[in-house]
Amino acid sequence: MNSPDPDTGLLAPGWAGSPAAAATSDGAHLQALLDAEAALTRAQARLGLAPRQAADAVTEAADAARFDVRSLADRARGGGNPVIPLVADLTSAAGEEHGPYVHRGATSQDILDTAAMLVASRTLHLVLADLDRVQQALARLAAEHRDTAMPGRTLTQHAVPTTFGLKAAGWRSLALDARDRVTAVRDSLPVQLGGAAGTLAAFTVYGAEDTRALTEAFAAELGLREPALPWHTLRTPVADLAGCLAFTAGALGKIAADVLVLGRTEIAEVAEGGGGGSSAMPHKANPVRSTLIAAAARRAPQLAATLYGSLAAEDERPAGAWHAEWEPLRDLLRLVGGAARDAAELVEGLRVHPDTMRDHLDLTHGLIVSERLSAELAPVLGRARAKALLTELAGRTWTEGVSLGELLSREPELKNIDLEEITDPARYTGSAGALTDRALERR
């Protein structure tokens, strides 16, 4: 039997097969490490600190396909990180003449942190593409269902009517909030370059008179930002990633949570476009996309907490705090990448059932508009009388099985009131339409 690949996501259907899975794989991380090493040599060559031939040789050698990722992983135990064995292998691959220019002046954390920012940047680009699909699909749903009345629910119970358009507009607002946060973080991701203890001292030994110029050239080679300081123990970039990723998971989780509730058999106001099957019950069409998004939203905060916990890092390089970041950060990128993919598929295929929503407005026999009736009847009956009457009739709607509107029509005091207007739930959606329009103005 062939040894299984540990990076396939067998127990992670939320991200398996997603663009983010490929962008965060062991191979992708290895290539990012190699990209960082090659970029550093090119940056030094740009400033005359290394021969151009060396930069070309290292860049040509820095191809992940030429390296054994499993061997690197096994040998990483010796020094606690994969950069140490990788430098040895890349030095050999670059050749005797050019190998000495590999990793010159850098420390392992420079390369691993820079590679982490590359992987994050590449993955966030994919996340943003799916978030754009999400917001576009939700904009269409919000516009189409601007005036589709449905029960608003608070604390699990019917409250007052709302519209599905407003609900979809709210989902879109969260998706746009996530997009804006992810974009800001992606555009701020920096390279790491500090040397052994964040002073860039070794680079000066190798001839760098202006180490800021070196850092700037390094950043330009990779399309990342130049940091103000080496951030070996100043973990703002990682904390920013933690925050935007956890927020995105939660924002998409809100959509999933609502779909899971509204898609219950007893409610059935919406349904996923392509439900998943059951191994035991042939009739099932499970809300798989929503379920996987909800799972990601539950896991993301704890992963982010680990990254926030690593902010308290001692000295100029900590023992453990830095190492604790690697897996949670990758897990977060994968979870959010998978959730964004699933959310795009979910909202693009979401089936909405306006007739069911309208039917559900009548489940409380008209009591869903009791708030409006209290306000409308007070000037006619007086506040106390209106409240007493509505309280009495509310009980009778259930015991007699008669709608509140029918019972009100029997009251002589109300014969001049347009009861059809004020008891129709679909006519009591307040500013839902205007709010939806306002929300859709955001781009």
Side-chain angles (χ1 to χ4, degrees):
M1 178 184 294
N2 293 330
S3 177
D5 183 349
D7 203 33
T8 57
L10 179 64
L11 300 182
W15 59 257
S18 69
T24 58
S25 68
D26 283 352
H29 273 84
L30 172 57
Q31 188 59 62
L33 291 166
L34 290 165
D35 290 344
E37 290 285 8
L40 180 58
T41 308
R42 291 197 304 274
Q44 293 184 49
R46 182 189 294 193
L47 299 178
L49 305 175
R52 171 49 59 183
Q53 295 87 341
D56 293 341
V58 173
T59 298
E60 182 179 357
D63 179 355
R66 301 179 61 175
F67 297 83
D68 185 341
V69 68
R70 187 178 294 277
S71 171
L72 290 168
D74 290 341
R75 287 182 288 149
R77 295 193 71 249
N81 75 74
V83 177
I84 296 171
L86 179 63
V87 168
D89 290 358
L90 181 58
T91 298
S92 176
E96 183 176 351
E97 179 181 358
H98 303 304
Y101 294 97
V102 171
H103 198 72
R104 197 168 70 156
T107 191
S108 294
Q109 189 170 1
D110 291 334
I111 301 304
L112 203 151
D113 277 352
T114 298
M117 296 300 102
L118 278 175
V119 168
S121 178
R122 292 163 181 173
T123 306
L124 294 184
H125 178 76
L126 301 171
V127 170
L128 285 169
D130 281 332
L131 287 175
D132 190 55
R133 288 174 59 195
V134 171
Q135 71 88 10
Q136 288 188 46
L138 290 175
R140 291 191 294 270
L141 284 173
E144 180 182 353
H145 295 283
R146 176 187 186 276
D147 300 313
T148 298
M150 66 179 294
R153 296 172 172 93
T154 63
L155 302 181
T156 76
Q157 307 296 300
H158 284 200
V160 297
T162 185
T163 67
F164 186 72
L166 183 57
K167 184 177 288 288
W171 294 344
R172 178 176 181 265
S173 179
L174 282 174
L176 291 175
D177 288 343
R179 177 202 65 186
D180 292 349
R181 284 159 174 77
V182 170
T183 299
V185 170
R186 182 200 59 181
D187 293 347
S188 70
L189 296 175
V191 296
Q192 171 76 283
L193 195 63
T199 66
L200 296 148
F203 294 107
T204 64
V205 175
Y206 291 119
E209 296 179 2
D210 183 354
T211 54
R212 179 172 182 178
L214 177 60
T215 303
E216 183 179 7
F218 185 39
E221 289 288 341
L222 294 170
L224 296 173
R225 286 293 185 92
E226 174 199 356
L229 293 171
W231 45 279
H232 291 159
T233 49
L234 310 174
R235 308 306 285 174
T236 301
V238 177
D240 285 345
L241 278 166
C244 84
L245 290 168
F247 179 88
T248 300
L252 299 177
K254 160 61 177 170
I255 301 172
D258 279 347
V259 171
L260 289 169
V261 169
L262 298 179
R264 287 176 178 270
T265 303
E266 300 89 334
I267 299 176
E269 292 176 357
V270 302
E272 289 196 8
S278 165
S279 64
M281 295 168 284
H283 70 281
K284 294 291 290 296
N286 294 320
V288 175
R289 302 279 77 76
S290 300
T291 297
L292 295 177
I293 297 167
R298 289 176 183 268
R299 288 188 60 201
Q302 287 69 42
L303 293 167
T306 298
L307 298 177
Y308 281 124
S310 293
L311 280 166
E314 72 280 2
D315 300 327
E316 280 61 57
R317 182 164 303 108
W322 173 50
H323 306 74
E325 293 174 349
W326 308 341
E327 290 174 278
L329 179 56
R330 174 157 80 168
D331 285 347
L332 259 179
L333 288 166
R334 285 177 162 177
L335 279 175
V336 174
R341 172 198 61 178
D342 285 336
E345 294 178 1
L346 169 64
V347 297
E348 287 173 348
L350 192 67
R351 299 199 301 265
V352 182
H353 304 302
D355 291 343
T356 303
M357 293 175 177
R358 182 61 184 85
D359 290 343
H360 288 168
L361 289 170
D362 296 326
L363 286 178
T364 57
H365 304 296
L367 296 181
I368 197 168
V369 293
S370 63
E371 177 189 68
R372 177 178 189 176
L373 292 171
S374 295
E376 295 276 7
L377 298 184
V380 178
L381 305 177
R383 186 174 180 181
R385 168 66 178 142
K387 180 179 179 181
L389 177 63
L390 288 171
T391 300
E392 174 198 347
L393 297 185
R396 289 174 58 190
T397 61
W398 295 108
T399 59
E400 299 178 19
V402 179
S403 72
L404 182 58
E406 171 63 24
L407 292 176
L408 286 170
S409 70
R410 301 174 187 175
E411 297 295 323
E413 301 160 283
L414 304 177
K415 63 181 180 180
N416 295 323
I417 300 295
D418 185 356
L419 292 174
E420 182 179 356
E421 164 71 25
I422 66 174
T423 60
D424 182 359
R427 300 181 188 181
Y428 189 55
T429 57
S431 297
L435 290 169
T436 301
D437 294 340
R438 184 190 306 171
L440 291 178
E441 292 174 1
R442 181 179 176 188
R443 295 291 182 262

